[in-house]
DNA sequence: CTTTTTTTCTAATATATATTAGAATACGGT
DNA sequence: ACCGTATTCTAATATATATTAGAAAAAAAG
């Protein structure tokens, strides 16, 4: 919702909007798979039966194109999370909200086409100017997570001894990383989301083990039996 | 330990080994900061007061150089984790081993120079050939983690209802992501490692909250009070 | 069936930078 | 100081590909 070159508001409900979309789709797919430097304009154009030069009718430059893709990726994820959170009953607990955010973000990374995945992977590949603007935009989304965690802590739902920014980055990192390794197959995105939620909220330690562990010095635990 | 072009064993204890090292160091730093396509050979050369062409005396190509950096990054991390694990007392528990692995990997990402960080970030930026070899090498390191987790599960130390490959990827993802956001400052690497361990092993949920939560249907928890 | 506008193509241009060949320099040993 | 080897530099070369200008074609309007 931040960076859109003049073009989207004027008035004329052009039909070339369709082409623009297909260019973006192809670009997102290509950039995601082959990276920024690994994707030529001609790759994108070929993908939709066009010539490279023609892309310039729709986008002023290769950089503008990749920035548009990244913007969309971030905005879609942000919007999806906001949306699902807003659908929760007003009395939903902090942990539920956290769970929903985790699940939605992950599904966005794994399903929501290539935009999200591209926006994550490209951050360090694009020219500095784009990266800076992108990181600035990420802050707004980060703030949403910060608030989720802060609220949960204030509500006493999450432990007091873990730094919240570490928690936030670790969670988002675990989720974003999935863009790298996920291959449709055995594990469904839902299942993955469930497991990550379980880990993040309740930890990996087995139930019976947990109680005992918390009573021992932090670095000298032994597995029983 | 996998891919080293002939050169390291012959015999002549050349002194240019020093230059080679400084080239690698500069390359790791540059590649890490500006990405693969964002780093020119002349950038690397400048960094150590050389001319771009001279690099070819030490490396056959830009690609060979970046591959060497990535190899080192992976190997160092792998070696560091193996090393610290081997130092543990023979009777160390599964959870302790997991903790040590997490801490060591993270410290490697945050401190151990730029190699580790570069090897993580560059994966999707380098030419496909390099990426494939690199991913193959990662498997060996991944196997170490898989074993850690499988052993822990067999030993009953970790819960049975979370898929181990999801857990593994989530953990490594959370750790690797730190390469993106960490800035030396308030939080020390040790502290970050501690917090992530706490999350991964025991979860974010507050202690008193935890017991109650486990007794309620999974998606309908409410924070108390 | 024109005319106008939008969209795409063709064919240069322009630039950047990896790579190479050969000259120049530094260096170690004698 | 001299020789040979190791190392670095200089100055082309070569290629790739983003970008642009203007021609063509398609679509819309009339």
């Amino acid at each position: 919702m931040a960076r859109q070159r003049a073009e989207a508001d004027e008035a004329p409900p052009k039909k070339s909007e369709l082409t623009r979309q297909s260019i973006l789709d192809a670009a997102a797919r290509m950039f995601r798979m082959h990276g920024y430097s690994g994707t030529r304009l001609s790759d994108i154009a070929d993908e939709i039966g066009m010539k490279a030069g023609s892309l310039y009718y729709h986008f002023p430059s290769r950089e503008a194109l990749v920035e548009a893709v990244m913007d969309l990726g971030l905005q879609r994820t942000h919007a999806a999370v906001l949306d699902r959170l807003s659908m929760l009953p007003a009395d939903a607990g902090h942990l539920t909200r956290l769970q929903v955010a985790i699940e939605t973000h992950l599904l966005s990374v794994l399903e929501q086409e290539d935009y999200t995945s591209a926006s994550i992977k490209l951050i360090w590949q694009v020219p500095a100017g784009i990266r800076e603007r992108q990181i600035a935009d990420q802050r707004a989304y980060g703030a949403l997570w910060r608030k989720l965690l802060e609220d949960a802590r204030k509500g006493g739902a999450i432990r007091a001894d873990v730094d919240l920014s570490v928690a936030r980055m670790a969670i988002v990192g675990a989720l974003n990383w999935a863009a790298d390794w996920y291959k449709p197959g055995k594990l469904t995105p839902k299942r993955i989301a469930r497991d990550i939620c379980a880990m993040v909220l309740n930890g990996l330690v087995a139930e019976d083990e947990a109680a005992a562990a918390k009573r021992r010095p932090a670095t000298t635990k032994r597995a029983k039996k």
Side-chain angles (χ1 to χ4, degrees), chain A:
Chain A
M1 193 190 292
R3 199 163 316 96
Q4 255 106 255
R5 312 298 167 225
E7 197 160 321
D9 31 279
E10 306 308 58
K14 323 208 166 195
K15 298 306 169 34
S16 74
E17 184 57 20
L18 289 175
T19 309
R20 193 190 146 92
Q21 287 306 332
S22 64
I23 292 174
L24 283 169
D25 286 349
R29 187 153 13 101
M30 287 286 142
F31 280 136
R32 173 197 183 167
M33 291 196 303
H34 305 121
Y36 181 61
S37 62
T39 303
R40 297 161 289 211
L41 285 184
S42 58
D43 292 330
I44 298 171
D46 283 353
E47 195 79 353
I48 55 176
M50 265 193 168
K51 297 297 180 172
S54 311
L55 300 179
Y56 283 82
Y57 182 78
H58 302 273
F59 295 90
S61 74
R62 181 168 174 253
E63 296 195 2
L65 176 53
V66 77
E67 187 163 3
V69 168
M70 295 178 75
D71 263 355
L72 282 172
L74 184 55
Q75 300 315 333
R76 286 190 187 183
T77 307
H78 193 159
V81 173
L82 272 181
D83 189 52
R84 288 217 31 205
L85 281 178
S86 75
M87 285 175 165
L88 283 176
D91 68 335
H94 297 119
L95 294 182
T96 304
R97 292 172 62 77
L98 209 44
Q99 262 183 236
V100 165
I102 290 175
E103 177 174 310
T104 309
H105 181 108
L106 187 65
L107 293 186
S108 178
V109 169
L110 300 187
E111 295 179 336
Q112 200 102 348
E113 314 176 60
D114 309 274
Y115 290 89
T116 302
S117 188
S119 80
I120 292 169
K121 282 188 184 162
L122 294 175
I123 269 282
W124 290 101
Q125 309 187 27
V126 293
I130 296 180
R131 172 167 52 250
E132 281 157 20
R133 283 191 294 275
Q134 205 61 25
I135 287 179
D137 284 0
Q138 286 181 350
R139 262 188 248 291
Y141 182 52
L144 164 60
W145 281 87
R146 189 173 359 250
K147 184 156 185 353
L148 274 178
L149 288 167
E150 279 170 358
D151 287 352
R153 169 158 292 168
K154 280 183 203 140
I158 65 181
R159 52 196 295 178
D161 63 336
V162 167
D163 183 272
L164 285 191
S165 50
V166 171
R168 180 165 55 90
M169 294 316 237
I171 293 173
V172 173
L175 299 178
N176 285 348
W177 202 252
D180 266 24
W181 57 264
Y182 174 71
K183 295 272 159 39
K186 21 215 67 183
L187 292 165
T188 71
K190 287 253 181 199
R191 171 67 202 277
I192 296 173
R194 198 196 71 83
D195 283 6
I196 293 186
C197 274
M199 274 186 65
V200 167
L201 295 182
N202 302 313
L204 273 182
V205 173
E207 315 256 324
D208 51 341
E209 193 80 7
K214 302 206 176 183
R215 226 158 303 283
R216 285 190 235 121
T219 42
T220 319
K221 290 174 201 160
R222 280 180 302 96
K224 68 130 186 277
K225 188 166 355 112

